[in-house]
Amino acid sequence: MLSKAQGKGGDDAMKTMTCIEDLRQAYHRKVPRAFVDYCESGSYAEQTLRANRADLERIALRQRVLNDVSGRSTKTTILGEEARLPLILAPVGLTGMQHGDGEIHACRAAQAAGIPYTLSTMSICSIEDVAASVAKPFWFQLYVMKDRGYIRALIERAAAAKCSALVLTVDLQVIGQRHRDIKNGMSVPPEIRISNLIDIATKPAWALGILRGKRKTFGNIAGHYPSMSNVTVLSKWIAEQFDPTLSWKDVEWIKSLWPGKLILKGILDVEDARIAAKTGAAAIVVSNHGGRQLDGVSATIDALPEVVEAVDGRIEVLVDGGIRRGSDVVKALALGACAVMVGRAPLWGLAVAGERGAAHVLELLRAELHLALQLTGCRSPAEVTRAHVCRGPNNSP
Ligand SMILES: Cc1cc2nc3c(=O)[nH]c(=O)nc-3n(C[C@H](O)[C@H](O)[C@H](O)COP(=O)(O)O)c2cc1C
C-alpha cells in the first residue's frame, strides 16, 4: 500500500487515509524504527509529551447551531501576512532523513496550502537548496551555537535567501535526554547497530527515497565546515556547540543582525513572555519543544492563556504541541493564540508520500478546522474567542 502511495495508485491510498492517525500508522510501517523513535519520543518519562495531547483533549468546544454556516473561511493573518489557515509548519530537524529531500517537499506542501514553512537549522537540505526549489519565501529557525561567527554567517545566509522570518529557538541550549534515541544508537555521534541495519533492510521504499535525495548530512553546517565531511564528525561538533550561556543579551545581538521579523520559540512562562514582549520580537511561540526538553513542565495549552494575558496584545502569540486535529486549532485560538505550529503531524504524511502526503495532512487539518468553525458558530479564525470553549469537566471557563 505504501509504495502505491508514491506511485500512480497514490491518490487511492490517500483517499483511505481519512485522519492523521492513519498517516501516523502508515509512517510507523514505512520508516526505520530509529527515525520513528526520534520523531515520536519525548524526553525522560514523557509526561509533558503526553500532557500536550491529554490537556488538549480535556478541553470541550461549545457547539452552536442554526447559524447559517455557509460562506465560512479559514483565512487569517500571521505576522501581518495573509495565510489560508492559522497554521505554520514547525521546524523539524533531520526531516530529510524521514523522506529524501524532505524539507523541499514539506515546504512545497505548506506553500501550496498557503501557510508558512519553517526550515530547521538541523535540516538535511540547506537554506540554499530549499530557496532554489520553492516558489516563495519561508521561515528559518535558528539554534545559537558557541561559534558566533557561524551564527552570523547563518543569519546572513537566511537573509540572502529572503527568508521572511527568523525563528530563534530559546529552549534548547542544553539537550533533554530521549531514552529511545540512546538505546537506538541515535546518539552523537550515531552508532551503527546491526539491529538498525536489519530494520533498514526491511524498509526498501524509505531507503530508496533517501538514496535519491540530494543530501545525507546536515546541509546548513556541512557547507560551512568543508573539513567535516562525514555525519559522525559533524554530529559530534553539533553536540559540543549548543551554548549553555545563551541569554537575553544574545536576543539583542541577533535582533541587531536580522533585518526582518524575529520570533522567539520556546516560551512557556509568563515572566519570560513579559521580557520577550520588550525585545522588539514580532511573536513568541508558546512551546515545550513537543515534550522533548524539560519533562514535567506544563502542557502548552495550559500555559497559553496566562502568557496571552501577560503580553496583553504587545506581541503575537503562537503555540505548538500536540496539535493533531482541526478542532485542536480552534481550542488554541479560543485560548488566545493567533495561529498554531505543527511538528509531527505533517512529518508523518511527508514520510509516507512526500509532498502529497504532507499536503494530505494539511488538507485534513483544513477540512476539520473548517467544520469546527462552522459548528462553533464562527465565520473565521478571527471570530474564535474564549466563549467558544468550556474548560475542564465542570465546563468552567
Ligand atoms: C523530530 C523532531 C525534530 C524537531 N526539531 C526541531 C528543531 O530542529 N528546531 C526546533 O526549534 N524545534 C524542533 N522540534 C520541535 C518542533 O518545532 C515543535 O515545537 C514540536 O514538534 C511541536 O509539537 P508536535 O510535534 O506535537 O506538533 C522538533 C520536533 C520533533 C518532533
Side-chain angles (χ1 to χ4, degrees), residues 153-342:
L154 206 52
I155 293 172
E156 283 165 7
R157 285 167 63 187
K162 303 208 171 1
C163 289
S164 49
L166 187 72
V167 179
L168 173 63
T169 298
V170 294
D171 62 358
L172 200 128
Q173 72 276 43
V174 289
I175 303 181
Q177 175 171 307
R178 294 186 297 272
H179 300 316
R180 279 184 280 172
D181 284 353
I182 296 173
K183 290 182 170 71
N184 289 332
M186 283 288 283
S187 52
V188 177
E191 289 171 35
I192 308 294
R193 300 251 170 97
I194 300 286
S195 54
N196 291 351
L197 292 179
I198 294 170
D199 189 27
I200 287 172
T202 65
K203 306 287 190 308
W206 169 85
L208 207 63
I210 296 296
L211 280 177
R212 284 201 198 111
K214 224 182 265 199
R215 292 180 194 274
K216 279 114 200 126
T217 186
F218 298 99
N220 291 324
I221 303 169
H224 190 79
Y225 295 100
S227 60
M228 295 191 211
S229 52
N230 76 54
V231 78
T232 307
V233 181
L234 216 52
S235 302
K236 198 162 180 300
W237 177 83
I238 291 168
E240 286 162 3
Q241 276 290 322
F242 281 100
D243 188 352
T245 70
L246 189 68
S247 76
W248 290 105
K249 278 212 164 358
D250 296 296
V251 176
E252 252 174 63
W253 176 67
I254 287 158
K255 183 100 193 25
S256 74
L257 295 177
W258 175 251
K261 291 166 192 158
L262 180 68
I263 301 168
L264 304 180
K265 174 174 180 284
I267 303 283
L268 206 59
D269 187 86
V270 289
E271 282 309 315
D272 288 338
R274 284 195 192 103
I275 302 171
K278 291 184 196 146
T279 57
I284 53 176
V285 188
V286 175
S287 177
N288 51 35
H289 218 98
R292 294 161 81 80
Q293 280 295 90
L294 179 58
D295 194 32
V297 295
S298 306
T300 47
I301 201 70
D302 281 343
L304 177 66
E306 284 130 40
V307 167
V308 169
E309 201 181 312
V311 303
D312 196 21
R314 283 173 293 158
I315 190 166
E316 277 193 31
V317 180
L318 312 173
V319 67
D320 72 15
I323 302 287
R324 304 286 180 265
R325 291 197 279 268
S327 55
D328 296 335
V329 181
V330 175
K331 292 173 187 179
L333 297 178
L335 296 177
C338 301
V340 306
M341 279 190 161
V342 275

Side-chain angles (χ1 to χ4, degrees), residues 38-40 52 90-93 98 120-122 141 143 169 171 265 287-290 292 320-324 341-345 347:
Y38 168 69
C39 164
E40 303 285 47
N52 277 350
V92 170
Q98 304 279 358
S120 165
T121 294
M122 295 302 159
Q141 175 266 328
Y143 279 132
T169 298
D171 62 358
K265 174 174 180 284
S287 177
N288 51 35
H289 218 98
R292 294 161 81 80
D320 72 15
I323 302 287
R324 304 286 180 265
M341 279 190 161
V342 275
R344 292 176 179 90
L347 193 69

Side-chain angles (χ1 to χ4, degrees), residues 90-163:
V92 170
L94 292 174
T95 294
M97 290 308 289
Q98 304 279 358
H99 184 92
D101 293 338
E103 290 87 2
I104 292 170
H105 294 290
C107 186
R108 284 183 181 151
Q111 295 191 345
I115 61 172
Y117 170 78
T118 318
L119 182 72
S120 165
T121 294
M122 295 302 159
S123 57
I124 300 295
C125 296
S126 68
I127 303 175
E128 293 78 11
D129 292 336
V130 179
S133 313
V134 301
K136 294 180 208 148
F138 51 92
W139 295 4
F140 181 68
Q141 175 266 328
L142 185 71
Y143 279 132
V144 179
M145 308 261 162
K146 285 179 189 159
D147 180 347
R148 296 299 154 89
Y150 169 63
I151 295 308
R152 180 189 285 270
L154 206 52
I155 293 172
E156 283 165 7
R157 285 167 63 187
K162 303 208 171 1
C163 289

